[in-house]
C-alpha cells in the first residue's frame, strides 16, 4: 500500500500483472493522436506561501518573503489576459499556508477573508467577471473545500507527482501519496473536471511510475473526472540538483501513460519543459495551458513557446493544432459541446459537471462569451482576437 494511504482510507492496491504489462510498453506500442490541443491562459500566482518545502520547487517563498496578490492586481491580470484572447485564468499557489505565514494570514484578515481558500473563491469570481474561466491548482483539498470551490471553477487540478515515498518530499511538512490520492478522489466525489499528473525524475523508479499511472486510472474509473494527465519532467533550477530526464526516458514514460489511461483521458506534456516535438509519436495529444501574457511562475527559467512554436510541435506529428477551453469538451453541457463530442457520464450527486456561474459565463452575450463559445465548438480562431459571431 502507498505511504499514508491507510490514513486517508485509500484502497488502491497495484495489480502486479498490470504493472508488469505497463513496464513492457514502448513508443512502438502506442498510436499517435489525431490532433494536438492547448489552452490559452493567464497565469495568476495568488500566493507563494506553501506549507511544503519540496526540494525541487522554486515557487514557494519562506515566511516573511511570501507574496500575496491583491484583489486589484488579480483583476488587472485577468483583464489583460481576457483582452489578449485568453480563455483560462490559472490560479496556482502553494498549499494552504500554515501558521508560520503570519503576514499572509494578517493580510487576508485585513481584506476580510478567513483563509486563502476563501480568497481564492473571490479571485475566481473576479476572473469570471472579466471574461475568463477559472482553473485552480490550490494543492491538497478536502471534499468540503471542493464542494465550495467547484461553484466558481471550470476545472481544477493537483499533481499526484508520484506514489513513491521519495526524499524530494522530505522534511517535517512532507507531501504523502495518500494525501494526494485523497485529493484526487475528493475531486471525483464532488464532480470536478480534474487535471493531475506525474513528475518524472524526483527519485522514483520505473515501477513507481507505472503504479502512479494505474492509481490515477483507477480513481478515474471510479468517478469519471480526470480530463488529462500531465507527464512532466523535473528541470534544473536554483534549488534543485535533479537532472532532467533524457529523451529516451521521456519517450518511454509518455508511451506508458498513453497505454495506461483510458482513451478519453488526454496525455499532456508541458512544451516549455519537455522536448514535445520528439514526443508526439508517443501518444501525447495536449500541450496544456500556454500563456501569451505571463510567465510560467512555477518554472520561471523556462519560457512558453509562442503560437508558431506550438504549431511546430503539431507539424512534427503531422497533426492539426486546436485551441480548447480549460474544461474538456466531454464535460461541457448540451449546446456547448462541439459536434460529435460524446458527453461524459454525469457526475455523482450533481446535475452537471459545470456549475451555473461557469455555464452563464460561457453563454454570456458579450465578446468574451462569444470567444469562449467559439473555442468550445472547436472553430475558434487561433489568433488572440475574440470571435465575432455565435
Amino acid at each position: 500500500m502507498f505511504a499514508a494511504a491507510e490514513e486517508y482510507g485509500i484502497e488502491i492496491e497495484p495489480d502486479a500483472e498490470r504493472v508488469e504489462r505497463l513496464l513492457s510498453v514502448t513508443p512502438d506500442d502506442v498510436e499517435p493522436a489525431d490532433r494536438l490541443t492547448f489552452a490559452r491562459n493567464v497565469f495568476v500566482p495568488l500566493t507563494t506561501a506553501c506549507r511544503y518545502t519540496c526540494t525541487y520547487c522554486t515557487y514557494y517563498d519562506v515566511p516573511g518573503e511570501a507574496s500575496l496578490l491583491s484583489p486589484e492586481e488579480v483583476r488587472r491580470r485577468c483583464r489583460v489576459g481576457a483582452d489578449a484572447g485568453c480563455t483560462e485564468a490559472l490560479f496556482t499557489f502553494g498549499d494552504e499556508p500554515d501558521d508560520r505565514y503570519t503576514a499572509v494570514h494578517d493580510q487576508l484578515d485585513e481584506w476580510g477573508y478567513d483563509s486563502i481558500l476563501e480568497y481564492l473563491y473571490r479571485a475566481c469570481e473576479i476572473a469570471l467577471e472579466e471574461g475568463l474561466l477559472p482553473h485552480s491548482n490550490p494543492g491538497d483539498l478536502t471534499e468540503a473545500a471542493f464542494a465550495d470551490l467547484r461553484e466558481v471553477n471550470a476545472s481544477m487540478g493537483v499533481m499526484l507527482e508520484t506514489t513513491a515515498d521519495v526524499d524530494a518530499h522530505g522534511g517535517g511538512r512532507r507531501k504523502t501519496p495518500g494525501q494526494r490520492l485523497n485529493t484526487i478522489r475528493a475531486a471525483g466525489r464532488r464532480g470536478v473536471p480534474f487535471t493531475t499528473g506525474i513528475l518524472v525524475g524526483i527519485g522514483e523508479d520505473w515501477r513507481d511510475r507505472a503504479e502512479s499511472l494505474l492509481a490515477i486510472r483507477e480513481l478515474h474509473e471510479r468517478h469519471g473526472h480526470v480530463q488529462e494527465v500531465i507527464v512532466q519532467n523535473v528541470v534544473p533550477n536554483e534549488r534543485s540538483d535533479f537532472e532532467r530526464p533524457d529523451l529516451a526516458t521521456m519517450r518511454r514514460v509518455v508511451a506508458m501513460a498513453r497505454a495506461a489511461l483510458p482513451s478519453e483521458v488526454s496525455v499532456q506534456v508541458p512544451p516549455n519543459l519537455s522536448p514535445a516535438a520528439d514526443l508526439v509519436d508517443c501518444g501525447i495529444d495536449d500541450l496544456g495551458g500556454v500563456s501569451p501574457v505571463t510567465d510560467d511562475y512555477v518554472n520561471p527559467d523556462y519560457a512558453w513557446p509562442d503560437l508558431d512554436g506550438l504549431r511546430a510541435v503539431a507539424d512534427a506529428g503531422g497533426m492539426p493544432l486546436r485551441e480548447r477551453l480549460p474544461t474538456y469538451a466531454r464535460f461541457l453541457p448540451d449546446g456547448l459541446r462541439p459536434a460529435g463530442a460524446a458527453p461524459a457520464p454525469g457526475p455523482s450527486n450533481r446535475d452537471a459537471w459545470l456549475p451555473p456561474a461557469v455555464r452563464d459565463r460561457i453563454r454570456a452575450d458579450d465578446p468574451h462569451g462569444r470567444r469562449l463559445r467559439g473555442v468550445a465548438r472547436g472553430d475558434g480562431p487561433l489568433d488572440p482576437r475574440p470571435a465575432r459571431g455565435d
Side-chain angles (χ1 to χ4, degrees), residues 36-39 41 88 90 135 137 159 194-198 200 213 227-233 250 253-254 257-258 261 265-274 276 279 282-290 296 304 324-326 328:
L36 195 62
T37 57
F38 75 102
N41 72 22
E88 172 186 335
L90 173 61
H135 173 93
N137 291 336
M159 291 288 283
F194 207 67
T195 293
T196 188
I198 63 172
V200 182
L213 292 166
Q227 56 180 9
E228 60 187 355
V229 171
I230 304 169
V231 180
Q232 180 174 326
N233 52 277
M250 290 305 297
V253 72
V254 167
R258 182 64 281 163
L261 299 167
V265 176
S266 285
V267 175
Q268 177 194 127
V269 296
N272 61 323
L273 306 179
S274 301
L279 300 172
C282 301
I284 66 168
D285 61 347
D286 188 74
L287 297 175
V290 178
D296 177 352
W304 302 115
R324 61 165 175 83
L325 297 181
Y328 274 63

Side-chain angles (χ1 to χ4, degrees), residues 94-362:
D95 284 60
E96 188 172 6
D98 62 22
D99 292 339
R100 300 172 303 142
Y101 288 91
T102 56
V104 170
H105 291 294
D106 289 346
Q107 183 64 77
L108 288 169
D109 183 65
E110 182 179 328
W111 289 341
Y113 299 98
D114 291 335
S115 70
I116 190 66
L117 297 182
E118 186 177 312
Y119 183 45
L120 171 61
Y121 191 104
R122 177 56 190 146
C124 292
E125 290 182 318
I126 291 171
L128 289 167
E129 292 165 5
E130 294 299 327
L132 298 173
L133 302 183
H135 173 93
S136 296
N137 291 336
D140 289 311
L141 295 182
T142 63
E143 281 191 54
F146 275 118
D148 290 337
L149 287 169
R150 80 174 302 278
E151 297 306 312
V152 288
N153 272 278
S155 55
M156 297 180 72
V158 72
M159 291 288 283
L160 170 59
E161 298 187 5
T162 181
T163 51
D165 192 18
V166 294
D167 290 342
H169 292 159
R173 297 176 303 279
R174 66 185 300 141
K175 292 176 183 174
T176 66
Q179 190 173 29
R180 287 284 154 143
L181 292 168
N182 180 59
T183 295
I184 300 169
R185 180 182 62 181
R189 287 176 171 176
R190 289 298 172 176
V192 178
F194 207 67
T195 293
T196 188
I198 63 172
L199 192 55
V200 182
I202 57 171
E204 82 291 349
D205 61 25
W206 281 104
R207 185 169 299 276
D208 297 324
R209 294 163 187 165
E211 291 180 351
S212 299
L213 292 166
L214 291 172
I216 293 170
R217 177 181 181 123
E218 183 164 339
L219 289 172
H220 173 72
E221 288 175 337
R222 295 179 189 177
H223 304 290
H225 65 309
V226 177
Q227 56 180 9
E228 60 187 355
V229 171
I230 304 169
V231 180
Q232 180 174 326
N233 52 277
V234 72
V235 291
N237 59 53
E238 62 188 33
R239 285 181 177 159
S240 169
D241 57 2
F242 292 109
E243 294 185 5
R244 185 197 300 258
D246 61 23
L247 179 59
T249 296
M250 290 305 297
R251 285 178 58 80
R252 180 182 170 194
V253 72
V254 167
M256 286 171 58
R258 182 64 281 163
L261 299 167
S263 60
E264 72 269 16
V265 176
S266 285
V267 175
Q268 177 194 127
V269 296
N272 61 323
L273 306 179
S274 301
D278 295 318
L279 300 172
V280 286
D281 63 327
C282 301
I284 66 168
D285 61 347
D286 188 74
L287 297 175
V290 178
S291 180
V293 292
T294 52
D295 293 335
D296 177 352
Y297 292 106
V298 175
N299 297 284
D301 295 334
Y302 300 88
W304 302 115
D306 59 17
L307 188 56
D308 287 340
L310 299 180
R311 285 196 178 103
V313 175
D315 289 345
M319 58 183 69
L321 181 68
R322 296 287 183 267
E323 188 176 355
R324 61 165 175 83
L325 297 181
T327 312
Y328 274 63
R330 70 182 183 277
F331 297 106
L332 298 175
D334 293 343
L336 293 176
R337 284 192 307 278
S348 60
N349 304 319
R350 292 291 181 275
D351 61 353
W353 287 99
L354 290 188
V358 173
R359 298 199 300 267
D360 290 347
R361 175 63 268 174
I362 300 174

